[in-house]
Amino acid sequence: MQDPKNMTCEEFQAQMAELIGSGEDLSVHPHVQTCTLCRALLNELETIAEAARQLFPVEDPPDTLWEKLETAIKEEGNQTRS
Amino acid sequence: MQAHDSSPRAATASGNPPIEMPSRKTAASLQTADVEPASTGEVAAPSVAGAEADVLSRAQAGDHHAFAQLYSLHKRRIYSLCLRMVGNVAEAEDLTQEAFLQLHRKIATFRGDSAFSTWLHRLAINVVLMHLRKKGLSVISLDEAMEPTPEEGPGRSFGAPDLSLTGSIDRLALERAIAELPAGYRLIFVLHDIEGYEHNEIAAMLDCSIGNSKSQLHKARLKLRDAMRTIPRREGRR
Ligand SMILES: [Zn+2]
């Protein structure tokens, strides 16, 4: 357990995955408050995570897929019956 | 009082898009994972839920028409999931088909311990994982991921903060960067940041520790950040 106030950037970044994953609000972390570099890093990661949520709109598969699936289901039914 | 009275309700359900959404994070921060408020509106309206339950039980009893309805209710989400995880339309179609084929095989075993959509979603994820493993992609090469290589050790991410990431992000570049992530990173990134799963759920699905899930997600984001700051000029790479 390091003292969060006296962390180096390396120490902070080594713990970053765990800190972020823990659900804490990192913007109030003493190191983040005093270190522009780590604050910027955090912001960038946040920007990426947010942008990713906007990506890949949901879309429908082509209609032909149901036909293929039906065929496959029937084939399987025939096999298991024999 | 026979079972037929429910068919009109069931019929209306088939035209509706799936209602349940993955437990989305609020876009406010990175670390929303463990603190999801209970009140996100992800509960389906009762009438539709009832109709789906009815379709479901008929499909479980072997009714092909009901199975077709389940397919049209869920195809969009399952296909989108596959597409995100493999990043390739043809494979995503195959995997969607495989997922529903497995659904057809296993549907009678669904017991309602979880929401059906969650169950199906996991089934689809397993199909994708199996596919990736078959292709020889080490889906989760955790040891590799956990062990900081010289250029990936702590401190490396430490760089000039002035990349143009703070404003708008080039969507295409980000999509490309995600597609180019190693499979294990991409999976966790997709599951967590896009599909909205939490670390404990991901850990259970991928059979890894929660710490690994957190660490891989973080690395995936760092990799994306690096990819975004060195905006790829080498377009043609596959
Ligand atoms: Zn710092």
Side-chain angles (χ1 to χ4, degrees):
Chain A
M1 289 285 268
Q2 286 127 319
D3 174 7
K5 284 203 172 100
N6 298 318
M7 265 182 186
T8 65
C9 291
E10 278 78 7
E11 286 165 347
F12 173 74
Q13 290 183 15
Q15 295 185 10
M16 224 175 162
E18 189 55 40
L19 288 170
I20 290 173
S22 73
E24 283 171 52
D25 179 4
L26 276 196
S27 66
V28 300
H29 188 284
H31 183 81
V32 177
Q33 291 204 313
T34 54
C35 175
T36 47
L37 285 175
C38 290
R39 192 159 60 234
L41 173 61
L42 201 59
N43 286 338
E44 286 167 12
L45 294 180
E46 201 162 295
T47 306
I48 285 171
E50 273 175 40
R53 284 174 204 127
Q54 323 291 321
L55 292 180
F56 306 114
V58 284
E59 52 186 293
D60 281 320
D63 292 340
T64 51
L65 192 60
W66 170 247
E67 290 149 36
K68 286 196 219 163
L69 176 60
E70 249 185 333
T71 310
I73 288 174
K74 276 181 194 141
E75 274 171 18
E76 215 172 61
N78 292 340
Q79 279 167 15
T80 50
R81 218 141 294 170
S82 62
Chain B
M1 285 297 179
Q2 265 310 7
H4 285 294
D5 63 338
S6 48
S7 53
R9 282 191 300 143
T12 58
S14 69
N16 291 336
I19 311 106
E20 350 66 47
M21 298 296 285
S23 55
R24 280 287 152 142
K25 274 96 212 231
T26 51
S29 65
L30 282 171
Q31 69 274 11
T32 46
D34 307 312
V35 289
E36 187 92 333
S39 63
T40 47
E42 51 182 291
V43 181
S47 60
V48 181
E52 192 184 345
D54 179 68
V55 175
L56 178 58
S57 59
R58 284 189 293 128
Q60 287 189 294
D63 179 338
H64 183 69
H65 182 62
F67 186 81
Q69 287 184 316
L70 279 185
Y71 173 80
S72 57
L73 276 170
H74 294 280
K75 64 180 179 183
R76 174 185 274 248
R77 257 196 75 195
I78 297 302
Y79 177 67
S80 302
L81 170 74
C82 294
L83 197 53
R84 290 162 179 168
M85 303 227 317
V86 299
N88 168 320
V89 171
E91 278 180 48
E93 285 177 26
D94 288 350
L95 292 170
T96 305
Q97 177 177 332
E98 180 59 25
F100 279 98
L101 199 55
Q102 290 212 10
L103 172 66
H104 191 263
R105 273 178 223 147
K106 296 181 179 169
I107 193 164
T109 68
F110 174 68
R111 307 214 165 248
D113 312 325
S114 56
F116 174 70
S117 63
T118 308
W119 184 76
L120 173 57
H121 213 244
R122 290 202 177 180
L123 186 150
I125 288 170
N126 281 328
V127 167
V128 173
L129 292 178
M130 260 162 55
H131 167 77
L132 292 176
R133 287 187 181 117
K134 224 179 276 172
K135 275 176 72 179
L137 297 179
S138 57
V139 171
I140 297 298
S141 46
L142 285 174
D143 300 335
E144 193 185 315
M146 291 308 290
E147 162 189 315
T149 59
E151 46 145 15
E152 271 191 40
R156 156 186 175 271
S157 41
F158 177 59
D162 64 348
L163 53 159
S164 49
L165 270 185
T166 37
S168 65
I169 276 197
D170 178 354
R171 219 190 129 100
L172 281 178
L174 181 56
E175 283 188 7
R176 200 181 309 131
I178 293 172
E180 288 188 357
L181 282 176
Y185 292 122
R186 188 174 67 233
L187 275 182
I188 290 193
F189 184 79
V190 167
L191 290 173
H192 188 279
D193 280 0
I194 301 179
E195 294 291 324
Y197 281 100
E198 315 206 346
H199 285 296
N200 58 342
E201 299 174 294
I202 295 172
M205 275 187 265
L206 301 185
D207 197 23
C208 67
S209 74
I210 293 177
N212 282 337
S213 174
K214 289 176 182 173
S215 143
Q216 280 212 322
L217 174 66
H218 186 60
K219 288 185 176 183
R221 287 167 170 168
L222 286 175
K223 275 183 184 296
L224 290 176
R225 168 181 178 265
D226 285 355
M228 298 301 289
R229 58 178 6 190
T230 55
I231 287 295
R233 303 229 170 243
R234 19 192 214 152
E235 290 274 351
R237 207 156 64 87
R238 302 197 58 197

